[in-house]
Amino acid sequence: MHAHNPYHGRYDLKKLSGHDAMLQQHIVFNPNGEETIDFGSSSAVYELNKAILLADFNLEEYHLPLGYLIPPIPGRLDYLLHLRDFLHDKLNITGDRQLHGLDIGTGANGIYCILGAQHFKWKMVGSESDVRAVEIARTNVERTKALKDLIAIRHQVNKGFLFKNIIQTDELFDFTVCNPPFHSSKEEALKSALRKRTKLEGSYDKEDLALNFEGQANELWCNGGEALFIKRLIKESIQFKDRVRVFSSLVSKADNLPRIEKQLTKSKADYHIIPMSQGQKKSRMVVWWFR
């Protein structure tokens, strides 16, 4: 986990429960007699992450209907921390000025926009093709006054596009982020969820926070899975290379990297792979840009 990520240690569940009383109902004891939650329960994971947003990121209220992807805050924050370091170290983009970011597929949770605004004070735009998810994300933004001037949630009316219709003609972005759907079908997603539930049986490891079992179809799977989605991102990014300084995406499956790197090379993009980890969970992000 990134050195500046505040979630290295155990969660202060007593403090968090003070911000979200529902979390108290999900607190249990692990074999060592320590307070934790059942990370195999979507309700428990949701209440934990809601409490974190209310307590640590100063949200006034936050609601996410059952069935939408639950955002694991520590992992999502790690992505943004690593990206900030890259922008600073490799491209000399300092934190002295307010950065402008775009989240492709922000979902109902709008988590990257919220963390970008509240933790880094960045201006964020979130794009989403699901009309209902757009409504939910906008409502959560409106519930916290501090977010209104920092976040805009936009509806992608054409699912065939990722950047087009979202980036306006007079807009410039410092970076884009994306957590792509990583399964290629509903069946694959269900099998993965079953394996994760089995793995969580009797487990209280904190890294399992990243595993949750909710999500709409467009959040969890797409034709061709993660690799094809990121290839689409790369191809379309060429058209917006003068509007965005750095593009990025999570890559959950290391096996997809060769195909992604091949597409980046074909597109004549410079790129960098940044490894990330939470406990035993390994992932990575790819960032690319055009000179």
Side-chain angles (χ1 to χ4, degrees), residues 179-239:
N179 181 25
F182 44 84
H183 298 298
S184 60
S185 66
K186 180 178 180 180
E187 291 71 26
E188 182 185 325
L190 290 173
K191 288 180 181 178
S192 176
L194 181 59
R195 288 195 300 270
K196 291 173 181 178
R197 285 185 185 276
T198 302
K199 180 180 177 181
L200 281 172
E201 190 71 27
S203 171
Y204 295 92
D205 292 341
K206 185 175 172 182
E207 61 264 25
D208 287 329
L209 174 64
L211 308 178
N212 61 74
F213 316 106
E214 301 296 335
Q216 300 295 296
N218 62 303
E219 294 177 313
L220 296 179
W221 68 85
C222 65
N223 291 333
E226 175 184 75
L228 184 57
F229 190 93
I230 296 175
K231 287 177 68 175
R232 286 180 58 209
L233 272 177
I234 296 167
K235 289 179 180 179
E236 193 173 331
S237 71
I238 299 172
Q239 304 172 39

Side-chain angles (χ1 to χ4, degrees), residues 4-262:
H4 293 160
N5 195 315
Y7 301 105
H8 283 277
R10 297 186 61 80
Y11 297 109
D12 187 343
L13 295 177
K14 182 177 180 180
K15 181 196 80 170
L16 293 175
S17 296
H19 292 266
D20 178 17
M22 292 295 292
L23 177 60
Q24 186 65 45
Q25 300 178 15
H26 298 284
I27 295 177
V28 295
F29 291 93
N30 67 15
N32 295 324
E34 300 166 321
E35 286 190 335
T36 185
I37 67 165
D38 176 8
F39 287 103
S41 164
S42 295
S43 297
V45 172
Y46 165 67
E47 295 300 342
L48 173 63
N49 284 279
K50 176 180 178 178
I52 290 173
L53 288 173
L54 298 178
D56 299 341
F57 296 93
N58 301 316
L59 265 64
E60 296 173 28
E61 192 51 84
Y62 184 82
H63 293 291
L64 190 63
L66 185 67
Y68 283 92
L69 194 62
I70 302 167
I73 306 303
R76 300 301 189 257
L77 183 60
D78 234 41
Y79 182 168
L80 297 183
L81 287 167
H82 282 288
L83 181 59
R84 180 198 62 183
D85 289 353
F86 178 84
L87 293 171
H88 180 268
D89 298 339
K90 302 296 184 182
L91 299 180
N92 297 316
I93 301 177
T94 69
D96 296 337
R97 66 177 179 84
Q98 186 181 52
L99 301 185
H100 195 195
L102 168 62
D103 177 20
I104 298 297
T106 198
N109 57 63
I111 194 61
Y112 287 116
C113 290
I114 292 172
L115 297 183
Q118 291 298 81
H119 191 79
F120 302 94
K121 305 305 178 185
W122 294 336
K123 291 200 71 171
M124 300 293 298
V125 171
S127 72
E128 175 56 49
S129 61
D130 183 317
V131 176
R132 175 61 177 144
V134 168
E135 294 173 354
I136 296 166
R138 283 176 176 169
T139 299
N140 277 321
V141 168
E142 293 168 358
R143 286 189 172 113
T144 298
K145 294 179 180 178
L147 297 179
K148 291 182 179 180
D149 294 331
L150 293 177
I151 297 176
I153 305 296
R154 297 176 184 171
H155 180 215
Q156 174 56 273
V157 295
N158 188 331
K159 293 182 179 181
F161 298 130
L162 297 168
F163 300 108
K164 188 177 179 180
N165 300 331
I166 298 300
I167 297 180
Q168 306 301 311
T169 56
D170 58 345
E171 277 187 312
L172 297 174
F173 287 93
D174 293 296
F175 64 88
T176 69
V177 297
C178 182
N179 181 25
F182 44 84
H183 298 298
S184 60
S185 66
K186 180 178 180 180
E187 291 71 26
E188 182 185 325
L190 290 173
K191 288 180 181 178
S192 176
L194 181 59
R195 288 195 300 270
K196 291 173 181 178
R197 285 185 185 276
T198 302
K199 180 180 177 181
L200 281 172
E201 190 71 27
S203 171
Y204 295 92
D205 292 341
K206 185 175 172 182
E207 61 264 25
D208 287 329
L209 174 64
L211 308 178
N212 61 74
F213 316 106
E214 301 296 335
Q216 300 295 296
N218 62 303
E219 294 177 313
L220 296 179
W221 68 85
C222 65
N223 291 333
E226 175 184 75
L228 184 57
F229 190 93
I230 296 175
K231 287 177 68 175
R232 286 180 58 209
L233 272 177
I234 296 167
K235 289 179 180 179
E236 193 173 331
S237 71
I238 299 172
Q239 304 172 39
F240 295 89
K241 61 184 180 180
D242 295 327
R243 301 289 177 81
V244 179
R245 298 189 71 174
V246 173
F247 302 87
S248 76
S249 177
L250 278 177
V251 183
S252 66
K253 298 179 180 180
D255 292 346
N256 288 330
L257 284 176
R259 284 184 287 174
I260 293 169
E261 292 183 89
K262 182 178 180 180

